[in-house]
Amino acid sequence: MVVERYLDLLGSPFSKEDDKLVNTLQSLGMSGVAYKMRVLFQARKRADHSDKFFTQREAEELLAMAESAWKTVLEAIRERRRLPRRIRNC
């Protein structure tokens, strides 16, 4: 949801489908966050459809990845809000 909020602030059109959302972020130069989201989407599919459990280490790594991506996008939102309106609309 934080990614959707960020894209709304940019006025960027986007689809809520996982792969399309990630592709939009990638095209906006947020390749690090896009990569992490791809990994997390795959992990979610594994959790939903596989009988293989995550190890504690895997779960901790995924949680750290999610937290890092979330913080990066929140910081981008904060930066966007700090820009003067005339610069924001360029």
Side-chain angles (χ1 to χ4, degrees), residues 54-63:
F54 289 96
T55 65
Q56 181 173 345
R57 181 177 176 169
E58 288 173 316
E60 288 169 351
E61 288 171 356
L62 290 166
L63 183 59

Side-chain angles (χ1 to χ4, degrees), residues 2 14 25 41 51-52 57 66 87:
V2 72
F14 63 93
L25 274 182
F41 289 147
D51 58 356
K52 184 179 177 192
R57 181 177 176 169
I87 295 174

Side-chain angles (χ1 to χ4, degrees), residues 38-81:
R38 283 187 180 99
V39 171
L40 293 166
F41 289 147
Q42 290 302 315
R44 190 195 72 216
K45 288 178 189 175
R46 176 179 156 193
D48 288 349
H49 303 291
S50 174
D51 58 356
K52 184 179 177 192
F53 290 105
F54 289 96
T55 65
Q56 181 173 345
R57 181 177 176 169
E58 288 173 316
E60 288 169 351
E61 288 171 356
L62 290 166
L63 183 59
M65 188 176 283
E67 185 176 23
S68 171
W70 182 71
K71 286 180 178 180
T72 300
V73 177
L74 280 179
E75 184 57 32
I77 289 171
R78 289 183 188 115
E79 285 297 318
R80 180 73 180 167
R81 289 181 175 165

Side-chain angles (χ1 to χ4, degrees), residues 4-14 24 28 80 88:
E4 292 175 14
R5 178 70 179 124
Y6 175 64
L7 295 174
D8 278 338
L9 279 173
L10 294 179
S12 179
F14 63 93
T24 302
L28 293 171
R80 180 73 180 167
R88 243 187 283 160

